[in-house]
Each structure stands twice: as structure tokens, then as C-alpha cells.
Coordinates of all heavy atoms in Angstrom, one line a residue:
M1 N 36.0 59.0 46.2 CA 35.0 59.4 47.1 C 33.7 58.6 46.7 O 33.4 58.4 45.6 CB 34.7 60.9 46.9 CG 33.7 61.5 47.9 SD 34.1 61.5 49.6 CE 35.5 62.6 49.7
H2 N 33.0 58.1 47.7 CA 31.8 57.4 47.6 C 30.6 58.1 48.2 O 30.7 58.7 49.3 CB 31.9 56.0 48.3 CG 32.9 55.1 47.7 ND1 32.8 54.4 46.6 CD2 34.2 54.9 48.2 CE1 33.9 53.7 46.4 NE2 34.8 54.0 47.3
L3 N 29.5 58.2 47.5 CA 28.2 58.7 48.0 C 27.3 57.5 48.4 O 27.0 56.7 47.6 CB 27.5 59.6 47.0 CG 26.2 60.1 47.4 CD1 26.3 61.1 48.5 CD2 25.5 60.7 46.2
V4 N 26.9 57.5 49.7 CA 26.1 56.4 50.2 C 24.7 57.0 50.5 O 24.7 58.0 51.3 CB 26.7 55.7 51.4 CG1 25.8 54.6 51.9 CG2 28.1 55.1 51.0
Q5 N 23.7 56.5 50.0 CA 22.3 57.0 50.3 C 21.6 55.9 51.1 O 21.6 54.7 50.7 CB 21.5 57.3 49.0 CG 22.1 58.5 48.3 CD 21.2 58.8 47.1 OE1 20.7 58.0 46.4 NE2 21.1 60.1 46.9
L6 N 20.9 56.4 52.1 CA 20.0 55.5 52.9 C 18.6 56.0 52.7 O 18.3 57.1 52.9 CB 20.3 55.6 54.4 CG 21.6 54.9 54.9 CD1 22.8 55.8 54.5 CD2 21.5 54.7 56.4
L7 N 17.7 55.1 52.2 CA 16.3 55.4 52.0 C 15.6 54.8 53.1 O 15.4 53.6 53.3 CB 15.9 54.7 50.7 CG 16.8 55.0 49.4 CD1 16.2 54.3 48.2 CD2 16.9 56.5 49.2
L8 N 15.0 55.7 54.0 CA 14.4 55.3 55.2 C 12.9 55.5 55.1 O 12.4 56.6 54.8 CB 15.0 56.1 56.4 CG 16.5 56.0 56.6 CD1 16.9 56.9 57.7 CD2 16.9 54.5 56.9
P9 N 12.1 54.5 55.5 CA 10.6 54.6 55.4 C 10.1 55.5 56.5 O 10.6 55.6 57.6 CB 10.2 53.2 55.6 CG 11.2 52.6 56.4 CD 12.5 53.2 56.0
L10 N 9.0 56.2 56.2 CA 8.3 57.0 57.2 C 7.3 56.1 58.0 O 6.8 56.5 59.1 CB 7.5 58.1 56.5 CG 8.5 59.2 55.9 CD1 7.6 60.3 55.3 CD2 9.4 59.8 57.0
Y11 N 6.9 55.0 57.4 CA 5.8 54.1 58.0 C 6.4 52.7 58.1 O 7.1 52.2 57.2 CB 4.5 54.1 57.2 CG 4.0 55.5 57.1 CD1 4.3 56.3 56.0 CD2 3.2 56.1 58.1 CE1 3.8 57.6 55.9 CE2 2.7 57.4 58.0 CZ 3.1 58.2 56.9 OH 2.6 59.4 56.8
D12 N 5.9 51.9 59.1 CA 6.3 50.5 59.2 C 5.4 49.7 58.3 O 4.6 50.3 57.6 CB 6.3 50.0 60.6 CG 4.9 50.0 61.3 OD1 3.9 50.1 60.5 OD2 4.8 49.9 62.5
N13 N 5.6 48.4 58.2 CA 4.9 47.5 57.3 C 3.4 47.5 57.6 O 2.6 47.1 56.8 CB 5.5 46.1 57.3 CG 6.8 46.1 56.7 OD1 7.1 46.9 55.8 ND2 7.6 45.1 57.0
A14 N 3.0 47.9 58.8 CA 1.6 47.9 59.2 C 1.0 49.3 58.8 O -0.2 49.5 59.0 CB 1.4 47.6 60.7
G15 N 1.8 50.2 58.3 CA 1.3 51.5 57.9 C 1.3 52.5 59.1 O 0.8 53.6 58.9
D16 N 1.9 52.1 60.2 CA 2.0 53.1 61.3 C 3.2 54.0 61.2 O 4.3 53.5 60.8 CB 2.1 52.3 62.7 CG 0.8 51.5 62.9 OD1 -0.3 51.9 62.6 OD2 1.0 50.3 63.4
P17 N 3.1 55.3 61.5 CA 4.2 56.2 61.4 C 5.3 55.7 62.4 O 5.1 55.3 63.5 CB 3.7 57.5 61.8 CG 2.3 57.3 62.3 CD 1.9 55.9 62.0
L18 N 6.5 55.8 61.9 CA 7.7 55.5 62.7 C 8.1 56.7 63.6 O 7.9 57.9 63.1 CB 8.9 55.1 61.9 CG 8.7 53.8 61.1 CD1 9.6 53.6 60.0 CD2 8.8 52.6 62.1
P19 N 8.5 56.5 64.8 CA 8.8 57.7 65.7 C 10.0 58.5 65.2 O 11.0 58.0 64.6 CB 9.2 57.0 67.0 CG 9.4 55.6 66.8 CD 8.8 55.2 65.4
R20 N 9.9 59.8 65.4 CA 10.9 60.7 64.9 C 12.3 60.5 65.5 O 13.3 60.7 64.9 CB 10.4 62.2 65.3 CG 11.4 63.2 64.8 CD 10.8 64.6 65.2 NE 11.7 65.6 64.6 CZ 11.4 66.4 63.6 NH1 10.3 66.2 62.9 NH2 12.3 67.3 63.2
D21 N 12.3 60.0 66.7 CA 13.6 59.7 67.3 C 14.5 58.7 66.6 O 15.7 58.7 66.7 CB 13.5 59.4 68.8 CG 12.8 58.1 69.1 OD1 11.9 57.7 68.3 OD2 13.1 57.4 70.1
L22 N 13.8 57.8 65.8 CA 14.6 56.9 65.0 C 15.5 57.6 64.0 O 16.7 57.3 63.8 CB 13.7 55.9 64.2 CG 13.0 54.8 65.0 CD1 12.1 54.0 64.1 CD2 14.0 53.9 65.6
Y23 N 15.0 58.6 63.4 CA 15.7 59.4 62.4 C 16.8 60.2 63.1 O 17.9 60.4 62.5 CB 14.8 60.3 61.6 CG 13.6 59.5 61.0 CD1 12.4 59.4 61.6 CD2 13.8 58.7 59.8 CE1 11.4 58.6 61.1 CE2 12.8 58.0 59.3 CZ 11.6 57.9 60.0 OH 10.6 57.1 59.4
E24 N 16.5 60.8 64.2 CA 17.5 61.6 65.0 C 18.6 60.7 65.4 O 19.8 61.1 65.4 CB 16.8 62.2 66.2 CG 15.8 63.3 65.7 CD 14.9 63.9 66.9 OE1 15.2 63.5 68.0 OE2 14.0 64.7 66.6
Q25 N 18.3 59.4 65.8 CA 19.4 58.5 66.2 C 20.3 58.2 65.0 O 21.5 58.2 65.1 CB 18.8 57.2 66.7 CG 19.8 56.2 67.2 CD 19.2 55.0 67.8 OE1 18.0 54.7 67.7 NE2 20.0 54.1 68.3
V26 N 19.7 57.9 63.8 CA 20.5 57.7 62.6 C 21.3 58.9 62.2 O 22.5 58.8 61.9 CB 19.6 57.2 61.4 CG1 20.4 57.1 60.1 CG2 18.9 55.9 61.7
R27 N 20.7 60.1 62.3 CA 21.4 61.3 62.0 C 22.7 61.5 62.9 O 23.8 61.8 62.4 CB 20.5 62.5 62.1 CG 21.2 63.8 61.8 CD 20.2 65.0 62.0 NE 19.1 65.0 61.0 CZ 17.9 64.9 61.3 NH1 17.5 64.8 62.6 NH2 16.9 64.8 60.4
A28 N 22.5 61.2 64.2 CA 23.6 61.4 65.2 C 24.7 60.3 64.9 O 25.9 60.7 64.9 CB 23.0 61.2 66.6
E29 N 24.3 59.1 64.6 CA 25.3 58.0 64.3 C 26.1 58.3 63.1 O 27.3 58.2 63.1 CB 24.6 56.7 64.2 CG 24.0 56.2 65.5 CD 23.0 55.0 65.3 OE1 22.6 54.7 64.2 OE2 22.7 54.4 66.3
L30 N 25.4 58.7 62.0 CA 26.1 59.0 60.8 C 27.0 60.2 60.9 O 28.1 60.2 60.3 CB 25.1 59.1 59.6 CG 24.4 57.8 59.3 CD1 23.4 58.1 58.1 CD2 25.3 56.7 58.8
T31 N 26.5 61.2 61.6 CA 27.3 62.4 61.7 C 28.6 62.1 62.6 O 29.7 62.6 62.2 CB 26.5 63.5 62.4 OG1 25.4 63.8 61.5 CG2 27.3 64.8 62.6
A32 N 28.4 61.3 63.6 CA 29.6 61.0 64.4 C 30.6 60.1 63.6 O 31.8 60.3 63.8 CB 29.1 60.2 65.7
H33 N 30.1 59.2 62.8 CA 30.9 58.3 62.1 C 31.6 59.0 60.9 O 32.8 58.7 60.6 CB 30.2 57.1 61.6 CG 31.0 55.9 61.2 ND1 31.5 55.0 62.0 CD2 31.4 55.6 59.9 CE1 32.2 54.1 61.4 NE2 32.2 54.5 60.1
F34 N 30.9 59.8 60.1 CA 31.3 60.4 58.9 C 31.6 61.9 58.9 O 32.1 62.4 58.0 CB 30.4 60.1 57.8 CG 30.2 58.6 57.5 CD1 29.1 57.9 58.0 CD2 31.2 57.9 56.7 CE1 29.0 56.5 57.7 CE2 31.1 56.6 56.5 CZ 30.0 55.9 57.0
G35 N 31.3 62.5 60.0 CA 31.5 63.9 60.2 C 30.5 64.8 59.6 O 30.6 66.0 59.7
G36 N 29.4 64.2 59.1 CA 28.3 65.0 58.6 C 27.4 64.2 57.7 O 27.7 63.0 57.4
L37 N 26.3 64.7 57.3 CA 25.4 64.1 56.3 C 24.5 65.1 55.7 O 24.3 66.2 56.2 CB 24.5 63.0 57.0 CG 23.5 63.4 58.1 CD1 22.2 63.7 57.4 CD2 23.3 62.3 59.1
T38 N 23.8 64.7 54.7 CA 22.7 65.5 54.0 C 21.4 64.7 54.2 O 21.4 63.5 54.0 CB 23.0 65.7 52.5 OG1 24.2 66.4 52.4 CG2 21.9 66.5 51.9
A39 N 20.4 65.4 54.7 CA 19.1 64.7 54.9 C 18.0 65.4 54.1 O 17.9 66.6 54.2 CB 18.7 64.8 56.4
Y40 N 17.3 64.6 53.3 CA 16.2 65.1 52.5 C 14.9 64.7 53.2 O 14.4 63.6 53.1 CB 16.2 64.5 51.1 CG 17.5 64.9 50.3 CD1 18.6 64.0 50.3 CD2 17.6 66.1 49.7 CE1 19.8 64.3 49.7 CE2 18.8 66.4 49.0 CZ 19.9 65.5 49.0 OH 21.0 65.8 48.3
T41 N 14.4 65.7 54.0 CA 13.3 65.3 54.9 C 12.1 66.2 54.7 O 11.0 65.9 55.2 CB 13.7 65.5 56.4 OG1 14.1 66.8 56.6 CG2 14.9 64.5 56.7
R42 N 12.2 67.3 54.0 CA 11.1 68.3 53.9 C 9.9 67.7 53.1 O 8.7 67.8 53.5 CB 11.5 69.5 53.2 CG 12.5 70.3 54.0 CD 11.7 71.2 55.0 NE 12.7 72.0 55.7 CZ 12.6 72.2 57.0 NH1 11.6 71.8 57.7 NH2 13.5 73.0 57.6
A43 N 10.1 67.1 52.0 CA 9.0 66.6 51.2 C 9.4 65.1 50.9 O 10.3 64.8 50.1 CB 8.9 67.3 49.8
P44 N 8.7 64.2 51.6 CA 9.1 62.8 51.5 C 9.1 62.3 50.0 O 8.2 62.7 49.3 CB 8.1 62.1 52.3 CG 7.5 63.1 53.2 CD 7.6 64.4 52.5
A45 N 10.0 61.6 49.7 CA 10.1 60.9 48.3 C 9.1 59.8 48.3 O 8.7 59.3 49.4 CB 11.5 60.5 48.0
E46 N 8.7 59.4 47.1 CA 7.9 58.2 47.0 C 8.6 57.1 46.3 O 9.2 57.3 45.2 CB 6.6 58.6 46.2 CG 5.7 59.6 46.8 CD 4.5 59.9 46.0 OE1 4.3 59.2 44.9 OE2 3.8 60.8 46.3
G47 N 8.6 55.9 46.8 CA 9.1 54.7 46.1 C 8.0 53.9 45.6 O 7.0 53.7 46.2
H48 N 8.1 53.5 44.3 CA 7.1 52.7 43.7 C 7.8 51.4 43.1 O 8.8 51.6 42.4 CB 6.5 53.4 42.5 CG 5.7 54.6 42.9 ND1 4.3 54.6 43.2 CD2 6.1 55.9 43.2 CE1 3.9 55.8 43.6 NE2 5.0 56.6 43.6
W49 N 7.3 50.3 43.4 CA 7.8 49.1 42.8 C 6.8 48.0 42.7 O 5.7 48.1 43.3 CB 9.0 48.6 43.6 CG 8.7 48.1 44.9 CD1 8.5 46.8 45.3 CD2 8.6 48.9 46.1 NE1 8.2 46.8 46.7 CE2 8.3 48.0 47.2 CE3 8.8 50.3 46.4 CZ2 8.1 48.5 48.5 CZ3 8.6 50.7 47.7 CH2 8.3 49.8 48.7
G50 N 7.0 47.0 42.0 CA 6.1 45.8 41.8 C 5.9 45.5 40.4 O 6.0 46.3 39.5
S51 N 5.7 44.2 40.1 CA 5.5 43.8 38.8 C 4.0 43.8 38.3 O 3.7 44.2 37.2 CB 6.0 42.4 38.6 OG 5.4 41.5 39.5
T52 N 3.1 43.5 39.2 CA 1.7 43.5 38.8 C 1.0 44.6 39.6 O 0.2 45.3 39.0 CB 1.0 42.2 39.1 OG1 1.2 41.8 40.5 CG2 1.6 41.1 38.2
A53 N 1.2 44.8 40.9 CA 0.6 45.8 41.7 C 1.7 46.7 42.2 O 2.8 46.3 42.6 CB -0.1 45.2 42.9
T54 N 1.5 48.0 42.1 CA 2.5 49.0 42.5 C 2.4 49.2 44.0 O 1.3 49.4 44.5 CB 2.4 50.3 41.8 OG1 2.5 50.1 40.4 CG2 3.4 51.3 42.2
I55 N 3.5 49.1 44.7 CA 3.5 49.4 46.1 C 4.2 50.7 46.3 O 5.3 51.0 45.8 CB 4.3 48.2 46.9 CG1 3.6 46.9 46.6 CG2 4.4 48.6 48.3 CD1 4.4 45.7 47.1
R56 N 3.6 51.6 47.1 CA 4.1 52.9 47.3 C 4.6 53.0 48.7 O 4.1 52.5 49.7 CB 3.0 53.9 47.1 CG 3.4 55.3 47.3 CD 2.2 56.3 47.0 NE 2.5 57.6 47.4 CZ 2.2 58.1 48.5 NH1 1.6 57.4 49.5 NH2 2.5 59.4 48.8
D57 N 5.8 53.7 48.9 CA 6.4 53.9 50.2 C 6.9 55.3 50.3 O 7.6 55.8 49.4 CB 7.5 52.9 50.3 CG 8.0 52.7 51.7 OD1 7.3 53.2 52.7 OD2 9.0 52.0 51.9
D58 N 6.5 56.1 51.4 CA 7.0 57.4 51.6 C 8.4 57.2 52.4 O 8.4 56.5 53.3 CB 6.1 58.2 52.5 CG 4.8 58.6 51.7 OD1 4.9 58.7 50.5 OD2 3.8 58.7 52.4
I59 N 9.4 57.9 51.9 CA 10.7 57.8 52.4 C 11.4 59.1 52.6 O 11.0 60.1 52.0 CB 11.6 56.9 51.5 CG1 11.8 57.5 50.1 CG2 11.1 55.5 51.5 CD1 12.8 56.9 49.2
V60 N 12.4 59.1 53.5 CA 13.3 60.2 53.6 C 14.7 59.7 53.2 O 14.9 58.5 53.2 CB 13.4 60.9 55.0 CG1 12.1 61.5 55.3 CG2 13.8 59.9 56.0
I61 N 15.6 60.5 52.7 CA 16.9 60.1 52.2 C 18.0 60.8 53.1 O 18.0 62.0 53.2 CB 17.1 60.5 50.8 CG1 16.0 59.8 49.9 CG2 18.5 60.0 50.3 CD1 15.9 60.3 48.5
F62 N 18.9 59.9 53.6 CA 20.1 60.4 54.3 C 21.2 60.0 53.4 O 21.3 58.9 52.9 CB 20.2 59.8 55.7 CG 19.3 60.3 56.8 CD1 18.3 61.2 56.5 CD2 19.4 59.9 58.1 CE1 17.5 61.7 57.5 CE2 18.6 60.4 59.1 CZ 17.7 61.3 58.8
E63 N 22.2 60.9 53.2 CA 23.4 60.5 52.5 C 24.6 61.0 53.1 O 24.6 62.1 53.8 CB 23.3 61.0 51.0 CG 23.2 62.4 50.8 CD 23.0 62.8 49.3 OE1 22.5 62.0 48.5 OE2 23.4 63.9 49.0
V64 N 25.7 60.2 52.9 CA 27.0 60.6 53.5 C 28.0 60.3 52.3 O 27.8 59.6 51.4 CB 27.4 59.7 54.7 CG1 26.5 60.0 55.9 CG2 27.4 58.2 54.4
M65 N 29.1 61.0 52.5 CA 30.2 60.8 51.5 C 31.4 60.3 52.3 O 31.7 60.7 53.5 CB 30.6 62.1 50.9 CG 29.5 62.6 50.0 SD 29.9 64.0 49.0 CE 30.9 63.3 47.8
T66 N 32.1 59.3 51.7 CA 33.2 58.7 52.4 C 34.3 58.3 51.4 O 34.0 58.0 50.3 CB 32.8 57.4 53.2 OG1 33.9 56.8 53.9 CG2 32.1 56.4 52.3
D67 N 35.6 58.5 51.8 CA 36.7 58.1 51.0 C 36.8 56.6 50.8 O 37.0 56.1 49.8 CB 38.0 58.6 51.5 CG 38.1 60.1 51.4 OD1 37.6 60.7 50.4 OD2 38.7 60.8 52.3
D68 N 36.6 55.9 52.0 CA 36.7 54.4 52.0 C 35.3 53.8 52.2 O 34.6 54.2 53.1 CB 37.7 54.0 53.0 CG 39.1 54.5 52.8 OD1 39.6 54.4 51.7 OD2 39.7 55.1 53.8
L69 N 35.0 52.8 51.4 CA 33.7 52.1 51.5 C 33.9 50.8 52.3 O 34.4 49.8 51.8 CB 33.1 51.8 50.2 CG 31.7 51.4 50.1 CD1 30.8 52.4 50.7 CD2 31.3 51.1 48.7
D70 N 33.6 50.9 53.6 CA 33.8 49.8 54.5 C 32.5 48.9 54.4 O 31.6 49.1 55.2 CB 34.0 50.3 56.0 CG 34.3 49.2 57.0 OD1 34.1 48.0 56.7 OD2 34.7 49.5 58.1
R71 N 32.6 47.9 53.6 CA 31.4 47.1 53.3 C 30.9 46.3 54.5 O 29.7 46.2 54.7 CB 31.7 46.2 52.1 CG 31.9 46.9 50.8 CD 32.1 45.9 49.7 NE 32.4 46.6 48.5 CZ 31.5 47.2 47.6 NH1 30.3 47.2 47.9 NH2 31.9 47.8 46.5
E72 N 31.8 45.9 55.3 CA 31.4 45.1 56.5 C 30.7 46.0 57.5 O 29.7 45.6 58.1 CB 32.6 44.5 57.2 CG 33.2 43.3 56.4 CD 34.4 42.7 57.1 OE1 34.5 42.8 58.4 OE2 35.2 42.1 56.4
W73 N 31.1 47.3 57.7 CA 30.4 48.2 58.5 C 29.0 48.5 58.0 O 28.1 48.5 58.8 CB 31.2 49.5 58.6 CG 30.6 50.5 59.7 CD1 30.9 50.5 61.0 CD2 29.6 51.4 59.4 NE1 30.1 51.5 61.6 CE2 29.3 52.1 60.7 CE3 28.9 51.9 58.3 CZ2 28.4 53.1 60.8 CZ3 28.0 52.9 58.4 CH2 27.7 53.5 59.7
W74 N 28.9 48.7 56.7 CA 27.6 49.0 56.1 C 26.7 47.8 56.2 O 25.5 48.0 56.4 CB 27.8 49.5 54.6 CG 28.2 50.9 54.6 CD1 29.4 51.3 54.2 CD2 27.4 52.0 54.9 NE1 29.5 52.7 54.3 CE2 28.3 53.2 54.7 CE3 26.1 52.2 55.4 CZ2 27.8 54.5 55.0 CZ3 25.7 53.5 55.7 CH2 26.5 54.6 55.5
I75 N 27.2 46.6 56.0 CA 26.3 45.4 56.1 C 25.7 45.3 57.6 O 24.6 45.1 57.7 CB 27.1 44.1 55.8 CG1 27.4 44.1 54.3 CG2 26.4 42.9 56.2 CD1 28.3 43.0 53.8
A76 N 26.6 45.5 58.6 CA 26.1 45.5 59.9 C 25.2 46.6 60.2 O 24.1 46.4 60.9 CB 27.3 45.6 60.9
Y77 N 25.4 47.8 59.7 CA 24.6 49.0 60.0 C 23.2 48.8 59.3 O 22.2 49.1 59.8 CB 25.2 50.3 59.5 CG 24.6 51.5 60.1 CD1 24.5 51.7 61.4 CD2 24.0 52.4 59.2 CE1 23.9 52.8 61.9 CE2 23.3 53.5 59.7 CZ 23.3 53.7 61.1 OH 22.7 54.8 61.6
R78 N 23.2 48.2 58.1 CA 22.0 47.9 57.4 C 21.1 46.9 58.2 O 19.9 47.2 58.4 CB 22.2 47.3 56.0 CG 21.0 46.9 55.3 CD 21.3 46.2 54.0 NE 20.0 45.8 53.4 CZ 19.9 45.3 52.2 NH1 21.0 45.2 51.4 NH2 18.8 44.9 51.7
Q79 N 21.7 45.9 58.8 CA 20.9 45.0 59.6 C 20.4 45.7 60.8 O 19.2 45.4 61.2 CB 21.8 43.8 60.0 CG 22.2 42.9 58.9 CD 23.3 41.9 59.2 OE1 24.0 42.0 60.2 NE2 23.4 40.9 58.4
T80 N 21.1 46.6 61.4 CA 20.6 47.4 62.5 C 19.4 48.2 62.1 O 18.4 48.2 62.8 CB 21.7 48.3 63.1 OG1 22.8 47.5 63.5 CG2 21.2 49.2 64.2
L81 N 19.5 48.9 61.0 CA 18.4 49.7 60.5 C 17.2 48.9 60.2 O 16.0 49.3 60.4 CB 18.9 50.6 59.3 CG 19.9 51.6 59.6 CD1 20.3 52.3 58.3 CD2 19.4 52.6 60.6
E82 N 17.4 47.7 59.6 CA 16.2 46.9 59.3 C 15.5 46.5 60.5 O 14.2 46.4 60.5 CB 16.7 45.6 58.6 CG 17.2 45.8 57.1 CD 17.8 44.6 56.5 OE1 18.1 43.7 57.2 OE2 17.9 44.7 55.2
Q83 N 16.1 46.2 61.6 CA 15.5 45.9 62.9 C 14.8 47.1 63.4 O 13.6 47.0 63.9 CB 16.5 45.4 63.9 CG 17.0 44.0 63.5 CD 18.1 43.5 64.5 OE1 18.4 44.2 65.4 NE2 18.7 42.4 64.2
R84 N 15.4 48.3 63.4 CA 14.8 49.5 64.0 C 13.6 49.9 63.2 O 12.6 50.4 63.8 CB 15.8 50.6 64.0 CG 16.9 50.6 65.0 CD 17.7 51.8 64.9 NE 19.0 51.6 65.5 CZ 20.0 52.4 65.3 NH1 19.9 53.5 64.6 NH2 21.2 52.2 65.9
F85 N 13.7 49.9 61.9 CA 12.6 50.4 61.1 C 11.6 49.4 60.7 O 10.6 49.7 60.0 CB 13.2 51.1 59.9 CG 13.8 52.5 60.2 CD1 15.2 52.5 60.6 CD2 13.1 53.6 60.1 CE1 15.8 53.7 60.9 CE2 13.7 54.8 60.4 CZ 15.0 54.9 60.8
R86 N 11.7 48.2 61.2 CA 10.7 47.1 61.0 C 10.3 47.0 59.5 O 9.2 47.1 59.1 CB 9.5 47.3 61.8 CG 9.9 47.4 63.3 CD 8.6 47.4 64.2 NE 7.8 48.6 64.0 CZ 7.9 49.7 64.6 NH1 8.9 50.0 65.4 NH2 7.1 50.7 64.4

């Protein structure tokens, strides 16, 4: 069994909030494909990274469990999400 987590930003690179329907679309797609998901949306997590300056990002986490890890499907889905979430 594999646990796959998707860390989705709440804001685009310009700092503008992303529309709620983006998350609802991902939720529907993952539920249809995997039969369900867990979404951590109540208190956004914070991502921090950087070597000299710390960059902060508010995120929500969607996770699914799957017996088989279809890497090609995930690569294509990641590219889709990168475009949607800018």
C-alpha cells in the first residue's frame, strides 16, 4: 500500500488566492480515481524553505492510498496540477 500526499498552495506565485473550485475539482478527480481521499483543509499548513531567505507557503494536503503506484499517471497528473495552480 502506498500513501501519496499532494501539497497544494492556497495562493499563486503573485500572492493571489486560488479559487476554491480548483480544490473541489482535485477532490472529485482523486475520489473518482482512488475511491476516496483525506483532505487537511481546516488549518493550512506552512511550508518553509530556502538557503538564505525563508520562503513561506500556505498549503492544504490531499492524500490517497493506493495498492499500485502508477508513476506515469502521477507524472501526468502533477503536470496538470502545476498548470492549474500556477
